[in-house]
């Protein structure tokens, strides 16, 4: 997105205050771009030519009115010199943004020459000084602007006053009262609209431009930060979904593999037992599909008002309330499990509830795969300040399934524990078994 597009978008979003001249400035930029004037130098050069033409035209109008109203005409050589001086003064604007001080001071010196060529009673000033003073106001810091404005006013007033009319031809005009004194006072008064007012307007414009630029940059930073937060949220959600899919696959599918292997060995020897084992595999397959549907459904339709999470059209997200069913499934697979509950049971926060269930699920799957035949003890301790969950198994036989490809169990446990602010301890026991302990602080808001 270009700088102009970002500024427009920021103004539309309210980050940059709207200006009554913003639309005109954008339109002018568009028109200048279309005619090929895209850089500062090209645009300043075009402005200098336009101001020179306008100033020379105004000079011709003054000479025409002087001849018509006063009956006096300036000599052709004087008029040509004035026209050349005014043109050069205007053409200095081609470097107004690169050398604003030079443009203003050189233009003022040329204005002094114009004043010397004109009669005392005749005043003329082109448009270049207004533009130069305005440019200094937009480009220069306060101290430099004050210094160059004071020098320009002094040159215009203190030098222009004494030399006014010095090189002018002798024309018979009615002299002003008090002569040169009134001319000096007139120069002092005219210095305000010539130098001071355009400079103040330039200061306001430059300040607003810088403020607008800061707001535009801030808006761009906020947009970038918002995009990064959105991307981080997407990555976090993907990680969460990966953990959910891993837990579902690790628990259900590994059990199905065990039962399918047992059924395969029973075929032809005990067909009834084989049919029961395959029926169990079938029921577990349905449950696995339902669980997968609940996870994938959240990805497919995030705007369903939580129907997927609640179970309307998909399986509910499991918690400790489903622990007995999980333990029953493991017992059907041949694992001896003891469940111990200490303290008065209470409900955990939704995230903590799901996390606790997934931790037990992963620990039981690990025990079945890495310590086949070992006894497992599941402890749930409901304390007033802390909730503890422990799954420990004794030493068992060799692995029953090949699971080197998983490798996400403990990592997933640690990530889930960090999400809910729990402490996780995973490691071997003194009797040669394995223990997973998960403990989190509790307060009234989490129950």
């Amino acid at each position: 997105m270009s700088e102009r597009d970002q500024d427009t978008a920021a103004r539309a979003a309210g980050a940059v205050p709207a200006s009554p001249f913003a639309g005109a400035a954008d339109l002018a930029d568009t028109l200048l771009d279309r005619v090929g004037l895209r850089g500062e130098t090209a645009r300043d050069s075009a402005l200098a030519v336009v101001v020179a033409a306008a100033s020379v035209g105004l000079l011709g109008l003054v000479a025409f009115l002087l001849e018509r109203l006063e009956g006096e005409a300036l000599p052709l050589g004087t008029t040509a010199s004035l026209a050349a001086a005014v043109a050069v003064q205007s053409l200095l604007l081609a470097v107004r943004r690169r050398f604003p001080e030079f443009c203003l001071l050189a233009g003022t010196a040329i204005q002094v020459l114009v004043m010397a060529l004109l009669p005392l009673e005749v005043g003329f000033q082109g448009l270049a000084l207004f533009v130069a003073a305005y440019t200094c106001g937009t480009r220069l810091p306060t101290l430099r602007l004050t210094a160059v404005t004071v020098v320009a006013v002094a040159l215009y007033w203190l030098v222009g006053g004494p030399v006014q009319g010095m090189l002018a031809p002798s024309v018979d005009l009615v002299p002003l009262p008090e002569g040169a004194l009134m001319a000096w006072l007139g120069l002092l008064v005219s210095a305000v609209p010539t130098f001071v007012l355009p400079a103040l307007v330039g200061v306001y414009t430059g300040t607003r431009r810088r403020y607008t630029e800061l707001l535009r940059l801030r808006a761009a930073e906020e947009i970038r930060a918002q995009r990064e937060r959105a991307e981080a949220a997407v990555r976090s959600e993907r990680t969460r979904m990966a953990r959910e899919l891993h837990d579902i696959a690790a628990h259900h599918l590994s059990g199905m593999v065990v039962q399918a292997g047992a059924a395969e060995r029973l075929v032809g020897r005990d067909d009834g037992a084989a049919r029961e084992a395959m029926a169990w595999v079938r029921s577990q397959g349905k449950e696995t599909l339902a669980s997968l549907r609940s996870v994938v459904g959240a990805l497919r339709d995030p705007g369903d008002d939580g129907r997927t999470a609640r179970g309307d059209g998909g399986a509910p997200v499991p918690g400790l309330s489903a622990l007995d069913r999980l333990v029953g499934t493991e017992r059907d697979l041949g694992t001896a499990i003891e469940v111990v509950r200490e303290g008065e049971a209470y409900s955990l926060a939704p995230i903590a509830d799901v996390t606790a269930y997934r931790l037990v699920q992963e620990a039981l799957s690990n025990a079945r795969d890495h310590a086949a035949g070992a006894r497992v003890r599941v402890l749930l301790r409901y304390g007033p300040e802390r909730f503890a969950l422990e799954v420990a198994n004794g030493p068992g036989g060799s692995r029953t399934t090949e699971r080197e490809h998983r490798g996400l169990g403990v990592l997933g446990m640690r990530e889930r524990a960090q999400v809910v602010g729990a402490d996780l301890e995973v490691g071997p026991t003194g009797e040669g078994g394995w223990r997973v302990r998960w403990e989190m602080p509790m307060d009234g808001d989490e129950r």
Side-chain angles (χ1 to χ4, degrees):
M1 182 181 291
S2 65
E3 181 176 327
R4 189 190 308 170
D5 293 337
Q6 291 180 356
D7 186 41
T8 303
R11 286 202 303 268
V16 178
S19 169
F21 306 106
D26 292 341
L27 179 60
D29 285 339
T30 301
L31 293 176
L32 291 174
D33 288 341
R34 288 182 179 179
V35 298
L37 300 175
R38 292 185 174 83
E40 288 187 355
T41 301
R43 293 186 177 185
D44 289 344
S45 299
L47 176 64
V49 173
V50 172
V51 172
S55 298
V56 172
L58 287 176
L59 178 63
L61 178 61
V62 169
F64 173 76
L65 294 177
L66 180 63
E67 182 178 357
R68 283 299 185 90
L69 298 180
E70 302 294 341
E72 297 291 339
L74 294 174
L76 183 59
T78 300
T79 303
S81 298
L82 286 171
V86 170
V88 172
Q89 182 188 51
S90 301
L91 293 177
L92 289 174
L93 296 177
V95 295
R96 68 185 184 96
R97 280 188 271 200
R98 286 185 294 173
F99 308 105
E101 301 102 319
F102 168 77
C103 184
L104 180 61
L105 295 178
T108 304
I110 295 176
Q111 182 61 34
V112 171
L113 175 61
V114 171
M115 294 162 62
L117 291 172
L118 289 172
L120 184 64
E121 297 83 358
V122 178
F124 173 79
Q125 182 173 304
L127 304 175
L129 287 184
F130 298 100
V131 179
Y134 167 82
T135 303
C136 287
T138 60
R139 310 286 284 194
L140 300 180
T142 303
L143 292 179
R144 289 175 60 187
L145 174 64
T146 302
V148 73
T149 302
V150 169
V151 173
V153 170
L155 181 63
Y156 180 80
W157 182 47
L158 297 178
V159 179
V163 304
Q164 189 172 18
M166 182 179 297
L167 304 178
S170 177
V171 293
D172 188 13
L173 297 174
V174 178
L176 293 173
E178 302 298 331
L181 178 60
M182 291 300 298
W184 265 15
L185 291 177
L187 286 177
L188 181 60
V189 172
S190 65
V192 174
T194 301
F195 299 100
V196 179
L197 292 183
L200 292 178
V201 174
V203 169
Y204 167 78
T205 303
T207 301
R208 190 183 184 284
R209 284 177 181 173
R210 289 186 288 272
Y211 174 68
T212 302
E213 177 66 15
L214 290 176
L215 290 181
R216 187 188 67 81
L217 292 176
R218 181 178 178 182
E221 288 294 333
E222 291 180 353
I223 292 173
R224 188 180 302 110
Q226 183 178 7
R227 186 182 298 112
E228 291 176 354
R229 288 194 297 269
E231 293 175 352
V234 170
R235 289 194 298 268
S236 176
E237 186 66 12
R238 287 177 176 174
T239 302
R240 187 184 72 83
M241 292 298 176
R243 288 197 300 263
E244 291 291 331
L245 293 173
H246 165 263
D247 292 341
I248 293 171
H251 175 71
H252 294 290
L253 296 182
S254 61
M256 292 169 63
V257 169
V258 172
Q259 284 295 86
E264 183 181 10
R265 289 191 296 271
L266 291 173
V267 172
R269 297 169 53 190
D270 189 346
D271 292 341
R275 282 193 297 270
E276 291 179 2
M278 293 309 298
W280 187 93
V281 171
R282 184 171 179 269
S283 66
Q284 285 296 299
K286 290 182 177 180
E287 184 176 349
T288 302
L289 288 176
S291 299
L292 291 175
R293 189 180 299 113
S294 68
V295 176
V296 177
L299 294 174
R300 182 176 58 248
D301 189 12
D304 61 355
D305 299 328
R307 291 190 300 272
T308 300
R310 293 194 306 267
D312 304 342
V317 177
L320 288 180
S321 60
L323 179 61
D324 291 337
R325 183 163 59 91
L326 173 65
V327 171
T329 302
E330 288 295 322
R331 286 170 177 168
D332 291 340
L333 292 173
T335 304
I337 303 177
E338 177 189 6
V339 179
V340 179
R341 292 179 172 88
E342 297 180 358
E344 184 178 355
Y346 47 74
S347 298
L348 304 179
I351 296 179
D353 194 29
V354 174
T355 301
Y357 177 87
R358 292 304 189 195
L359 184 141
V360 176
Q361 184 182 60
E362 178 66 24
L364 292 179
S365 297
N366 287 339
R368 178 183 358 106
D369 289 340
H370 295 282
R375 295 186 61 84
V376 180
R377 182 173 183 267
V378 179
L379 171 64
L380 291 86
R381 180 178 290 116
Y382 295 90
E385 297 182 355
R386 301 185 72 83
F387 170 77
L389 173 64
E390 182 178 298
V391 181
N393 62 268
S398 60
R399 294 185 178 184
T400 61
T401 60
E402 294 296 331
R403 294 181 52 189
E404 288 80 355
H405 62 284
R406 284 173 53 183
L408 297 175
V410 176
L411 177 60
M413 291 181 186
R414 295 194 185 280
E415 290 178 348
R416 289 180 182 275
Q418 291 176 359
V419 170
V420 296
D423 298 325
L424 179 68
E425 297 178 3
V426 180
T429 63
E431 294 79 14
W434 192 264
R435 184 183 66 175
V436 176
R437 180 177 176 81
W438 182 79
E439 187 174 350
M440 65 175 293
M442 301 297 298
D443 55 43
D445 296 333
E446 292 180 332
R447 296 192 228 168

